[in-house]
Amino acid sequence: MYMGIIEGTFPPRYRREVKYRNAFVGWRCKKCGRVFYTPRKRCECGSREIEEIELPREGRVVTRTVVRNPPKGYEKYAPYAIAIIELDVDGQKVRVLGQLADVDLDKIRTGMRVRATLRRIRAGRRGLIEYGVKRVPIEE
Amino acid sequence: MIASILGYGAYIPRYRIKAEEIAKVWGQDPDRVKLGLLVESKSVPGPDEDTATIAFEAAMQAIERAGIDKSLIGAVFVGSESHPYAVKPTGTILASALGLNPKHLRAASFEFACKAGTEAIQAVIGLINAGLIKYGLAIGADTAQGRPSDPLEYTAAAGGAAYVLGPKGDSKAIAEIERVESYVTDTPDFRRRQGAPYPEHGVRFTGEPAYFHHIINSVKLLLEKLGRDINEYDRFAFHSPNGKFVRNVARRLGIKDLSRVVSLDIVRKCGNFYSGSTLVGIARALDKANPGDKILAASFGSGAGSDAFSIVVKDRITEVKSIGKSVDRYLNRAKYIDYGTYARYRGILVMD
Ligand SMILES: [Zn+2]
C-alpha cells in the first residue's frame, strides 16, 4: 500500500519507495493484461512478465472513511478522508486506496470524480519530507 | 526570437483568508489595509501543500499543454524563496513525481527573492540555445510567509506557474520569447538570513529605490532595444507585491489602459506569490491572448533586480487554451478560512 499509509521516514525506505509513492505507477501482466497497483513478481495467471505502467490520474470515489483521530505525525491534516478510488485503465476497473485532499468532508459522494496530485503525506520540522499521491475533486 | 513557450500551467491553492480576518486579530483597520495595498484576500496553501506540490500541479498542466514526449525534457529549474529543503533540490522531487527521464536531466533550485522564477526561465533558454537540451521546464512557485502582524502578512501568499520551453521556431510553440533584458543592483530592501523564519524589510527601501527603480530600468532597456512603444503591447504582467505598486509602476511606464495589466486582479484576490507572481501573471496574459498579441512582463526580486520579457503569441495558443484550467478558474474558486485555521495550516502554532 503506497498511498500514504506509511510509518516512519527512513532514507533507505524512502529511496526504495519514492517512485511508487510519488509517481502514478502501476503494474500490468504482459500475458493476461491484469493491472495491479502494488508491485508483484507473479500474476494470478502464473505469468512472471510484469511491466510498469503509468496509471491514469482521474478516477471516481467508490467509498470513503473519515479519520478524526490520526496517528502521530498526521495531526495537522485531520480530519481527512481515505477513499477507495476506481480507475479505468484501458477499460479495466482498478481499485486503489488513497487519501483525499482539498475536499469538504460532507460533500464526498460515491461516483465523485477525483484527480491524483502530489501532496505532503507527513513532514516534521526536521528530516525527510514524505510526499505521495493524494486525490482532489475535479471541479465541474 | 530566442526561445519558444510550448506549454504553460498555473496553480493557486483553494484556501483564502480575507484582509478583514487578519486585521481583526491584530486590531488594525481593514479598510486602510485594503485601500493601501489594493489586496482584499490572499491564497493560503493547504496543510499538505508546499512549493514542490504547487510546482508539480503547474508543471503537469504545462507538459499536458505542450503535448511533447516528456522524456525529452532535459532540465527542471525551480525558482523559489520557500524551497521545501534548505539543501536538497526541489527539481529532483518534481522530476521523479512527473515521471521524467533521469538520463541527461538537469535539476536545480534557483533563488533571487521574488525573481528566481524568471531567472530559471533564462537559464533554461540558455541551455536550449547552447544545444545542451531540447526542452526544459522553468518554474516559479512560493508559499510565502510574513511575520504575524507585519504588513506583509496581508499579502504573503502561495501560488506558482510552470513553462515548458523549447527552441525558437518549434512547431509546438504557443508563443515566442523575443527578448529578455535584466537590471541588477545591490539594494538593502528585503532579506532573510539562513534559519530565520521570517524575512525583514526596510520600508524606506522597498518602493522607490527597489521595486520602481529596477522594473522601470529593465522595461526601458527592453523597449529601447526593440525600438517599441509600451502601448504597442496588448497585455502586461508585473511582479505584484501589492496592487498599489503594480498600478503605480504601470502608470509611470506610461501604460494608458490599466485593464491590460492582468496582474491587478490576481494580487487583489490572491496576494503576492513571490517567485510565482510574474509567472502566474504571464499565464493569465496567455489565457486571454489571441494569435499575434504581444505581452510584456517584468519581474522584481529584492536584493535587487528585474527581468523584462517581450513575448509574441503564436497561432497554437487557441489549441491549448481549452486544455486544463485557466488562471481565472483558480482565482474564482475560494474556500475562506479563519485566522485559527490559517495559523494551523501555516505552522504558526508550534507542535513539536
Ligand atoms: Zn496475468
Side-chain angles (χ1 to χ4, degrees), chain B residues 135-147:
Chain B
Y135 301 127
L137 253 176
I139 303 167
D142 256 307
T143 54
Q145 289 265 44
R147 185 187 298 279

Side-chain angles (χ1 to χ4, degrees), chain A residues 29-34 36 43-47:
Chain A
C29 170
K30 279 181 155 176
K31 202 172 156 206
C32 74
R34 193 171 284 143
F36 315 101
C43 178
E44 282 142 56
C45 76
S47 161

Side-chain angles (χ1 to χ4, degrees), chain B residues 270-345:
Chain B
C270 289
N272 179 5
F273 307 141
Y274 286 56
S275 304
S277 177
T278 311
L279 277 70
V280 174
I282 297 170
R284 188 162 189 250
L286 288 168
D287 282 345
K288 296 184 178 302
N290 295 308
D293 281 2
K294 292 189 191 73
I295 298 166
L296 188 146
S299 64
F300 170 73
S302 293
S306 172
D307 303 324
F309 292 77
S310 182
I311 298 165
V312 181
V313 180
K314 311 282 282 183
D315 291 346
R316 204 176 82 88
I317 189 76
T318 49
E319 272 175 50
V320 306
K321 274 203 247 177
S322 58
I323 302 169
K325 257 187 184 174
S326 66
V327 173
D328 282 2
R329 280 195 66 188
Y330 282 114
L331 291 182
N332 294 332
R333 68 167 191 168
K335 170 91 178 165
Y336 292 100
I337 55 173
D338 58 18
Y339 198 90
T341 307
Y342 163 75
R344 186 165 80 111
Y345 284 4

Side-chain angles (χ1 to χ4, degrees), chain A residues 3-137:
Chain A
M3 296 296 164
I5 305 158
I6 289 183
E7 307 284 336
T9 322
F10 305 105
R13 182 170 185 170
Y14 181 94
R15 186 164 190 279
R16 207 164 57 233
E17 295 180 349
V18 64
K19 185 173 168 189
Y20 310 118
R21 293 206 274 138
N22 295 0
F24 310 108
V25 174
W27 291 265
R28 178 160 49 203
C29 170
K30 279 181 155 176
K31 202 172 156 206
C32 74
R34 193 171 284 143
V35 174
F36 315 101
Y37 76 103
T38 47
R40 56 177 77 188
K41 293 247 160 28
R42 197 177 162 178
C43 178
E44 282 142 56
C45 76
S47 161
R48 287 177 185 277
E49 277 193 83
I50 305 224
E51 62 177 343
E52 212 174 272
I53 55 165
E54 203 170 308
L55 291 174
R57 288 181 83 204
E58 289 191 20
R60 283 179 189 277
V61 171
V62 177
T63 181
R64 59 104 177 90
T65 181
V66 173
V67 178
R68 294 187 191 276
N69 297 298
K72 193 170 166 15
Y74 300 84
E75 298 89 343
K76 190 179 176 186
Y77 318 110
Y80 55 84
I82 302 228
I84 291 174
I85 315 289
E86 193 166 75
L87 309 176
D88 185 328
V89 188
D90 302 326
Q92 195 178 145
K93 305 283 186 223
V94 179
R95 287 185 171 191
V96 303
L97 189 64
Q99 198 174 319
L100 302 181
D102 283 3
V103 65
D104 298 324
L105 295 175
D106 56 346
K107 291 196 179 122
I108 305 169
R109 299 279 177 269
T110 298
M112 187 167 108
R113 289 172 66 217
V114 291
R115 187 173 49 84
T117 188
L118 185 74
R119 288 292 169 96
R120 283 185 175 199
I121 300 298
R122 187 165 64 158
R125 296 175 84 82
R126 292 167 189 283
L128 280 166
I129 300 165
E130 289 175 37
Y131 291 96
V133 174
K134 290 188 189 176
R135 288 178 171 80
V136 296

